[in-house]
Amino acid sequence: MKLRFLILSLACVLCAQLSEACTSAIVAASATADGRPILWKHRDTSASNNFLYRVEQPGKIGFVGLFNGADELNLDEAWMGMNDAGFAIMNTVAYNLPANEPDWIDREGVVMSMALASCRTVDDFERLLKQLPRPMGVRTNFGVIDAEGNGAYFETDDYNYERFDLKDAANGILIRTNYAYSGIPNEGMGYIRHKNVEDLLDTQLGSRSITPASLTEGLSRSFYNSVTGFNGADSSESWTIDQDFIPRHSSTASIAIEGIKPGENISNMIMWANLGYPPCSHVVPVTLTSIPEEAGPNADSGAYSPAGLDASVRMLEVFPIYRGSGSRYVNLDAVRAISDEQYRISLEKYAAGAKLRVQ
């Protein structure tokens, strides 16, 4: 109990400087190695632990969602997920959209839970947005895909939204961090992380060979900064400042939802889920009917994922300085060793998870 308290308390301190700094992408089937679209989110949040859970409600579509860890099992706000109709959704905060009404804020998770329980297509989600009462209590980029291969971002505030379709993306990818294309120019956050994604995926986009591992392993473990050119993988330095990398001290998950090919069984959707600080954890394959024990709310005390708690322990080696501004300093020697070990486990999980698909 004392160790869990230390881990969760430290994680809250580390997340305090900017809690919502997610990085995300939607990749078209035409740009992937095996012809399946991918919805990816690298999550940053002040909620220090995430877990996955299957939700079934009478008269609603069943879904697997990502929820914030808590002492009790709260399932009212999903922060990413996929459902039995082949629909999937995630979001990133967009700081250059109009601010929320002060009495009606932070309802993105509520909206995503509603969408997962009711939407079958991208167009269904747009209809939901049109029907929701105003103000909606959101300030976000919603990213969605469906079983028909469609994908889109909906840049959404309290009263309005702007739709950006995946089919219009010239290179088969849409990227969003913490600003909206339709928002106030040069405001918001995440411009450097956006460029990091473009640089790191450039070769694979050119060869149309993106995989879920390109995202959970190639991006979420990368200490690359597109402004300075610094790359932790190539550096001999032992320390670096935690600034504008995709993985941040507030990172708590990296999840890639792989859709289906035309005519394929929806049960073949796989959520490749890395719970915890991504460089310190590994992917597990999740289907609509099967969630590994380590990814569920299965900690000894409280609704916390064991994988997330384990990653938090390893994270203490990566951010070993607790006082003052010490949480901004990354021990590269530690994170390289830990990430390499967890990467090998991820590769094993990817190989095993591919066999879960119905032939």
Side-chain angles (χ1 to χ4, degrees):
M1 177 67 74
K2 290 182 179 179
L3 178 59
R4 193 195 80 181
F5 179 78
L6 171 63
I7 293 168
L8 297 179
S9 297
L10 176 61
C12 288
V13 171
L14 295 176
C15 292
Q17 295 169 25
L18 183 57
S19 61
E20 298 291 346
C22 304
T23 307
S24 71
I26 311 174
V27 187
S30 60
T32 66
D34 66 354
R36 294 183 174 91
I38 304 171
L39 185 74
W40 171 69
K41 175 179 176 177
H42 180 108
R43 189 184 188 205
D44 288 78
T45 177
S46 58
S48 58
N49 186 279
N50 313 262
F51 67 85
L52 297 170
Y53 199 83
R54 178 167 173 84
V55 177
E56 296 181 357
Q57 302 167 303
K60 302 289 186 179
I61 302 171
F63 68 89
V64 172
L66 177 72
F67 299 92
N68 291 334
D71 290 328
E72 297 180 357
L73 191 65
N74 299 317
L75 300 172
D76 51 351
E77 295 182 348
W79 296 100
M80 187 169 186
M82 61 183 183
N83 73 15
D84 292 349
F87 173 87
I89 188 169
M90 54 78 174
N91 81 303
T92 69
V93 176
Y95 291 107
N96 64 337
L97 290 176
N100 295 122
E101 297 283 351
D103 297 329
W104 202 247
I105 62 174
D106 297 333
R107 289 182 54 82
E108 289 87 0
V110 174
V111 171
M112 286 190 283
S113 289
M114 294 173 60
L116 287 165
S118 63
C119 294
R120 296 179 176 276
T121 66
V122 172
D123 289 342
D124 283 347
F125 181 67
E126 182 169 21
R127 282 189 282 271
L128 174 63
L129 289 181
K130 289 179 178 178
Q131 295 166 4
L132 287 174
R134 268 54 172 172
M136 288 186 278
V138 302
R139 189 190 192 192
T140 196
N141 302 312
F142 288 115
V144 296
I145 60 172
D146 63 29
E148 299 174 7
N150 302 308
Y153 275 108
F154 292 83
E155 300 182 349
T156 313
D157 59 47
D158 272 341
Y159 297 95
N160 303 291
Y161 68 86
E162 189 78 21
R163 177 171 172 168
F164 295 81
D165 282 294
L166 183 59
K167 64 181 176 61
D168 297 327
N171 59 353
I173 190 171
L174 296 174
I175 303 166
R176 292 295 186 276
T177 52
N178 299 114
Y179 67 94
Y181 283 26
S182 61
I184 301 172
N186 300 317
E187 297 291 331
M189 306 291 293
Y191 290 90
I192 296 171
R193 282 181 283 115
H194 191 295
K195 185 63 165 61
N196 295 352
V197 174
E198 292 178 332
D199 288 356
L200 291 167
L201 292 182
D202 181 63
T203 299
Q204 291 178 75
L205 281 171
S207 59
R208 304 285 179 171
S209 59
I210 300 292
T211 68
S214 303
L215 310 173
T216 65
E217 312 306 308
L219 298 184
S220 291
R221 297 187 190 278
S222 173
F223 290 86
Y224 167 73
N225 183 303
S226 55
V227 172
T228 66
F230 177 85
N231 192 332
D234 302 330
S235 173
S236 60
E237 298 292 327
S238 294
W239 294 88
T240 189
I241 304 296
D242 187 12
Q243 183 68 46
D244 292 320
F245 301 126
I246 293 169
R248 305 161 63 87
H249 48 60
S250 55
S251 298
T252 63
S254 177
I255 296 178
I257 297 177
E258 197 171 16
I260 59 172
K261 297 178 180 179
E264 193 174 21
N265 194 308
I266 288 173
S267 64
N268 281 351
M269 286 185 79
I270 295 182
M271 175 190 289
W272 304 98
N274 178 326
L275 301 186
Y277 179 64
C280 290
S281 193
H282 58 264
V283 158
V284 294
V286 178
T287 69
L288 286 163
T289 58
S290 175
I291 301 173
E293 181 83 6
E294 63 189 294
N298 299 316
D300 293 337
S301 176
Y304 301 95
S305 65
L309 292 179
D310 288 347
S312 294
V313 173
R314 301 183 192 103
M315 189 179 176
L316 299 177
E317 298 180 45
V318 177
F319 295 97
I321 305 174
Y322 311 143
R323 62 188 180 185
S325 59
S327 62
R328 292 185 178 275
Y329 291 82
V330 181
N331 185 328
L332 286 173
D333 291 336
V335 78
R336 288 188 196 102
I338 293 170
S339 188
D340 285 351
E341 177 187 33
Q342 296 300 307
Y343 172 68
R344 288 192 291 270
I345 298 173
S346 282
L347 294 185
E348 294 172 359
K349 298 292 186 180
Y350 269 112
K355 298 176 182 178
L356 297 174
R357 290 194 176 97
V358 178
Q359 301 302 318

